[in-house]
Amino acid sequence: MSPFNLAAINFVWLPILPLVVVTVAAMAVLLAGVRVDDSESEGLGLLTLASLAVAFVFTLGILGQYGVAFAGAISVDSFSAFFELVILIAAMFTVMMSLDYAAENRIPGAEYYSLLLFSVLGMMLMAAAGDLIVIFLGLETMSITVYVLAGIMRRNAKSNEAAIKYFLLGAFSTGFLLYGIALVYGATGTIKLGPIHDALASGAMGSNPLLLAGIGMMVIGFGFKVAAVPFHMWAPDVYEGAPTPVTAFMAVGVKLAAFAAFIRVFMVDFASVGAHWQTVLWVIAALTMTGGNLIAVVQTNIKRMLAYSAIAHAGYLLLGMAAGVRSGPAILYYLLGYTFTNLGAFSVVIALERRGEAGNQISDFRGLAARQPLLAGAMAIFLLSLTGVPPMAGFVGKFYIFSEALHQGYVGLVIIAVLNSVVSAYYYFYVLVAMYMQEGGVEVERLSARPALVAAVGLAALATILIGVYPQPYIASAANAFHSASGAEGSHSAALEP
Amino acid sequence: MPPFLYIFLGALAIVSALGVIVQRNPIHSLLALIATLMTVAVLFIGEDAVVVGFLQIIVYAGAIMVLFLFVIWLLNLQVETGPTGHLALKLFGSLTAALLATELFFILAPPHLQVKFTHEPVGYGSLASLAGKLFTDYLVAFEVTSVLLLAAVVGSVALARRLPGTDDPRAARKTAS
């Protein structure tokens, strides 16, 4: 066979069209921003927003398609489409939060928005990857750009600290993931997810030490990216120091992408050797929930509090993964609700923020309900959803994950999770009490002059309620997405026809 | 490759590798490192891994060596005189050496412990087959790598370029004149 067998690659353009759009947009923003002053970057932001919307529309075209493209490098299924859509939504919200923030803080617009788009590309690749190399390259594209975004406010010492901390620990954890990938490749002899799935499902691997070491390394690598205890130390400092829109992007986008790859590799392809990793995830989930919630209680800075809360939520998601394949749809639904809730909460934090640090303390929220009843109301919705109070999205998500885990006999883990939810109520309600029952705090300025930010808060609040009150269609699409990846067993490697 | 040549080059590589760590002058260490990399490259080529051999020369002996040289030149390193290294570092080094020795043992040791080498088909490791793989099976990975490098360049420029309004020697010179 000639090494240049082009027929075997199956170029299919439609599934990667969203990726191409995002890449081209990143370069276009870079070129368009050559002569744009740092304090007038709103136009670049709008261009970014528009191209993300175009990519969103193209991604809808993937729904319902099924197979692999580009010699197995890209998985085309509703799972990829689901995560790509949610990642694009998260990115659009991030841009809406950034429009005024970037200009006010004199963040270089061309670099900021193009790096954001490159990062989105990496995230989407992680969701759509069909082999371990593409997962790794997606992760690197996402991580390297987010390291820079965290430190893009170069005059701010905390932003610099966040970037260097995130870079050093992130590079370290990437090494673990890459080593794990190499060992899995060594054990199975293939780098493509479908054949790995088949090799493991055949049972011939048994407990090959190479495979087990590889799986362990990959758990550590993904554990760092989703900020699971004990791999979470970077998260609070980085979340606090990074520009707030970037923090929101990290708390939601990076987590979505990391979970997309984590779920696809572990719950689909490593499912047949679940006995080897589910116990490990059990322990990590329990530690993550408990650690995140307990440390969040003593925080006084809202960004740090939300960072620890994000760690705790990663714990609930890991609980679902530890409980096995059946809770897959619940995890996807939870991630959807978490996306809108967290993006909304960070938008409110930005609304209170003024140049510099002011507005980031929980005490700054005192008396917000009297001065800005709508903003305080929206924040209340997000906090209640994070706690898991009906009828918000967070409640349905928690209920769904916990009940699926219970059905599979993970009683101990669910008890830990419910106790943790009670602890989390303390620090979420603390902010509510500050907003509604105390006085003082900071004035919110220029809210009417920031329509994009107000729209982000409003849309996030609306989605948080809508997904919670009427969850059926979202649960159905989450289930459909998960099963399109996991139901692939056997026919996983069917190539799409151009 | 005839066995005597193989042994000769292998011994040369080991001796020059030892030279890297026993020299006190950094420039001499560097020259010894170049000799090591070159001999290893010849060994690769002798084993039909032509592309790996050339990459070894281009990437390591070429680019990375020049980088080392620049660092030594810029930092103006002096000849080491006193004892070097912490105890912890020495311990870590011994541990790594022990691990490598164990690995060597498994490769050279009794047949039932030996790793099985498979003979690759003719043309394996040639430039043509590498290029074929790169532009067919791994096309997406190849293209994504180029985007990743572009993003990294943009990011490093964003972090490293001179901030507007800070001391710019050129600007200062302009105002002075």
Side-chain angles (χ1 to χ4, degrees), chain A residues 9 11 70 108 111 137 154-155, chain B residues 136 139-141 147 159 161 164:
Chain A
I9 320 170
F11 292 96
F70 290 93
E111 287 95 332
L137 286 170
R154 285 172 53 202
R155 290 197 176 86
Chain B
T136 57
L139 179 69
V140 173
V147 177
L159 286 185
R161 70 168 187 179

Side-chain angles (χ1 to χ4, degrees), chain B residues 39-132:
Chain B
T39 36
V40 172
V42 175
L43 283 173
F44 273 132
I45 293 167
E47 292 297 305
D48 285 339
V50 181
V51 180
V52 181
F54 279 117
L55 284 180
Q56 175 93 2
I57 293 176
I58 296 166
V59 176
Y60 285 95
I64 292 182
M65 279 297 105
V66 172
L67 208 62
F68 270 128
L69 207 59
F70 266 118
V71 170
I72 291 172
W73 174 56
L74 283 174
L75 296 182
N76 197 15
L77 286 183
Q78 302 299 320
V79 176
E80 287 284 348
T81 47
T84 50
H86 292 284
L87 184 65
L89 273 180
K90 283 179 181 163
L91 277 176
F92 183 71
S94 331
L95 196 71
T96 318
L99 276 176
L100 284 175
T102 322
E103 196 178 337
L104 206 60
F105 171 77
F106 273 100
I107 295 169
L108 300 177
H112 68 279
L113 284 178
Q114 275 186 14
V115 178
K116 305 278 181 297
F117 288 104
T118 50
H119 283 281
E120 299 298 347
V122 178
Y124 185 87
S126 72
L127 197 55
S129 67
L130 184 77

